[in-house]
Amino acid sequence: MDSERVHKVVIIGSGPAGLTAAIYAGRANLKPVVIDGLQPGGQLMITSDVENYPGFPDGIQGPELMELFRKQAERFDTTYVEDEVVSLDVTSRPFRVNLGSEEYQLAEAVIIASGATAKWIGLESEKKLQGKGVSACATCDGFFFRGKVVTVVGGGDTAMEEANYLTHHASKVILIHRRREFRASKIMQERVLSNPKIEVVYDSVVTEILDDGKGQRVTGARVKNVKTGALSDIPCDGFFVAIGHEPNTKIVSDILSMDESGYLLHKPDSSYTDIPGVFVAGDVHDHRYRQAVTAAGAGCMAAIDAERWLEEQAHLKAHDLILQA
Ligand code: NAP
């Protein structure tokens, strides 16, 4: 790798936001470099059927969709680097993107599209059944549980929102929370507690997700009452984990501003951050929508912002040279 070459744009992350940024940057002739990260393709790589991404009337598998994004970006001169970013040095320009392999990339502009990671409970069965009834996204997967019984784990706003949303599809939603008090805002709690399709199981933790014996289909959740220690099985067809997301901001946590939940902040109606030349896109700054299509839209915005910013810099440089002459 030619580390000393200064790239116009380095994109950190290869989910829908990063790869859409690459498509737009590539078509702007910026020859983008995408650093794949530890999970190339992002969260869609663990999603089976995607039925809400426009343009695919029959749905598409998450990994297949990401492969198409990748090919499309490749067509416009995107280079992929199979590595993870360990730090970003913005103290001087060009910026230096340090990689796990101890290589680095130099960039005039950087787009941070490192995504967010859904928090999981950490059970073996949860991992095994992901995409087979276990999900961390009701908007993505709720539709598959029309007329069925689903459980939701969590007690914050996300859990309330997911539980309510799922009642549009499921015949019954069982919300399992590890305490008696919810962390969620009062209004969200009230919506859940007044919804006749939602039943709440308090003071309980899930110890195992049960399946059909072949590991192909969720059949229930084994829960333990934390006060009595009693175990019981709750039959269900779908199991939604809604205990929050963690934006992947470790590499920029000491250089960019974040909100109280750790999501990166940007200037209103744009992808500009506090640091000129550093842009953000996708779930790393968006806790509200968190959809592939919104992340892709944000990637497009970041690439357009970066292109315009680079053009302004080139004009400023040319102007300075004329003044010096
Ligand atoms: P959160 O507020 O951190 O809540 C996480 C919930 O999951 C808590 O109730 C927590 O229980 C539970 N939990 C955490 N780890 C667990 C585990 N291992 N096993 C079982 N339960 C576990 O996260 P969030 O709900 O995603 O919300 C994050 C932020 O986004 C908040 O600021 C929220 O207001 C905001 N948000 C807003 C909206 C909206 O306004 N429409 C929607 C979604 C999110 P404990 O309470 O016992 O800790």
Side-chain angles (χ1 to χ4, degrees), residues 119-121 153-159 161 177-179 181 183 188 242-245 260-261 287:
K119 289 186 197 160
W120 296 98
I121 301 169
V153 177
D157 280 334
T158 299
E161 206 168 59
H177 183 37
R178 62 184 178 187
R179 293 191 289 142
E181 297 75 34
R183 183 180 294 274
M188 304 280 270
I243 60 174
H245 285 76
E260 68 281 358
S261 305
H287 68 75

Side-chain angles (χ1 to χ4, degrees), residues 236-255:
C236 63
D237 307 289
F239 184 91
F240 288 82
V241 181
I243 60 174
H245 285 76
E246 207 152 347
N248 302 321
T249 54
K250 203 170 76 191
I251 54 162
V252 287
S253 56
D254 52 354
I255 54 176

Side-chain angles (χ1 to χ4, degrees), residues 137-283:
C137 177
T139 323
C140 318
D141 298 325
F143 191 70
F144 301 118
F145 297 96
R146 272 161 293 165
K148 301 201 164 160
V149 177
V150 298
T151 49
V152 175
V153 177
D157 280 334
T158 299
M160 303 299 128
E161 206 168 59
E162 304 271 89
N164 260 318
Y165 175 81
L166 284 165
T167 60
H168 301 314
H169 299 293
S171 58
K172 185 176 178 186
V173 176
I174 301 157
L175 179 63
I176 304 169
H177 183 37
R178 62 184 178 187
R179 293 191 289 142
R180 185 140 281 272
E181 297 75 34
F182 287 129
R183 183 180 294 274
S185 52
K186 280 279 172 291
I187 186 160
M188 304 280 270
Q189 292 189 33
E190 276 159 20
R191 274 184 211 151
V192 159
L193 296 173
S194 62
N195 191 323
K197 282 174 104 179
I198 303 177
E199 178 190 321
V200 184
V201 175
Y202 294 100
D203 296 322
S204 297
V205 291
V206 176
T207 57
E208 194 183 343
I209 302 162
L210 309 170
D211 65 43
D212 57 358
K214 297 180 206 131
Q216 290 304 312
R217 197 169 53 83
V218 167
T219 57
R222 180 156 298 157
V223 295
K224 181 171 135 189
N225 184 301
V226 292
K227 296 213 161 131
T228 64
L231 287 175
S232 57
D233 291 350
I234 300 175
C236 63
D237 307 289
F239 184 91
F240 288 82
V241 181
I243 60 174
H245 285 76
E246 207 152 347
N248 302 321
T249 54
K250 203 170 76 191
I251 54 162
V252 287
S253 56
D254 52 354
I255 54 176
L256 291 176
S257 313
M258 294 183 267
D259 68 13
E260 68 281 358
S261 305
Y263 287 85
L264 294 184
L265 294 174
H266 56 95
K267 310 238 178 253
D269 300 324
S270 82
S271 63
Y272 281 75
T273 65
D274 298 341
I275 301 173
V278 178
F279 304 86
V280 285
D283 287 13

